[in-house]
Amino acid sequence: MEVVIGKTTLSLIQGDITQEDTDAIVNAANSRLAGGAGVDGAIHRAGGPSIMEECRKIGGCPTGQAVITTGGNLKARWVIHTVGPVYQGGGKGEAGLLASAYRESLKLASSRKLKSIAFPAISTGVYSYPLAEAARIALKTTIDYLRDHSDLELVRFVLFDSRTYDVFVEELKKLL
Ligand code: ADP
């Protein structure tokens, strides 16, 4: 599914984010930037050890914030590492932190003058964020950002499985 928000194409696809050729791909990292399971492990495997070397130098990233490294062997030149919240029932500021993870990633891409960025469904795997709410927050935060900032040409959500893709499509339709 594809829509245009201001001057930016917002696209949803099912796929593997490590194969993306956007300027940056976003990693759903942990606050130690230590690598891990899921999309984090896949990005480090596909990108090679230089990404982890850069992560070690940066040292860490608080929940809701974002940092950037180069993309190593990936097609994407940059990896933006952001840390989504672990879902603990919804009363611990999770929604605000998840929105912040998306917003800070978009701001970092803009500040580096990048034109395209790809996101996974942050926090919806190991971090257990309920999928529909996470999708709504991801999309609403992105749309709100794009209504105020026209520098990005493409924001793509790369959803790994068909259920996640279907839920993102459903939530995007509701927001439009
Ligand atoms: P978190 O710890 O933030 O929950 P996970 O990596 O466990 O992060 O899961 C986030 C989402 O990323 C899940 O929907 C998972 O299916 C998805 N995912 C896993 N591998 C990939 C990949 N190669 N490309 C895109 N998404 C992926």
Side-chain angles (χ1 to χ4, degrees):
M1 179 175 182
E2 206 167 277
V3 296
V4 176
I5 311 288
K7 291 181 179 165
T8 308
T9 299
L10 173 60
S11 123
L12 309 182
I13 63 167
Q14 190 183 341
D16 175 354
I17 203 166
T18 65
Q19 302 306 309
E20 275 300 309
D21 60 0
T22 43
D23 293 338
I25 64 171
V26 176
N27 182 18
N30 53 60
S31 56
R32 290 173 299 122
L33 300 177
V39 70
D40 196 354
I43 287 171
H44 283 289
R45 271 195 303 281
S50 66
I51 301 176
M52 185 52 75
E53 275 165 39
E54 290 179 59
C55 283
R56 260 190 228 107
K57 283 182 194 150
I58 296 167
C61 177
T63 305
Q65 297 297 306
V67 299
I68 190 166
T69 67
T70 58
N73 302 327
L74 297 168
K75 289 181 202 157
R77 285 191 53 207
W78 304 98
V79 177
I80 291 174
H81 305 261
T82 192
V83 183
V86 177
Y87 192 76
Q88 297 171 284
K92 298 250 160 98
E94 292 96 327
L97 289 166
L98 185 60
S100 175
Y102 282 100
R103 200 179 309 111
E104 293 302 317
S105 299
L106 290 162
K107 279 162 66 178
L108 194 45
S110 292
S111 75
R112 296 296 181 111
K113 307 218 177 318
L114 308 187
K115 292 293 170 204
S116 55
I117 181 171
F119 282 102
I122 297 165
S123 286
T124 66
V126 174
Y127 283 3
S128 304
Y129 212 112
L131 184 53
E133 194 194 336
R136 188 180 56 76
I137 291 168
L139 293 164
K140 180 157 192 333
T141 305
T142 300
I143 289 169
D144 286 349
Y145 182 86
L146 295 178
R147 290 204 166 120
D148 291 339
H149 303 81
S150 58
D151 46 323
L152 284 160
E153 290 168 4
L154 171 66
V155 177
R156 178 176 284 150
F157 285 85
V158 182
L159 294 329
F160 203 47
D161 53 76
S162 61
R163 175 171 164 259
T164 305
Y165 175 79
D166 290 345
V167 170
F168 267 72
V169 167
E170 207 176 296
E171 294 300 320
L172 181 54
K173 285 181 182 160
K174 284 190 212 162
L175 285 169
L176 294 175

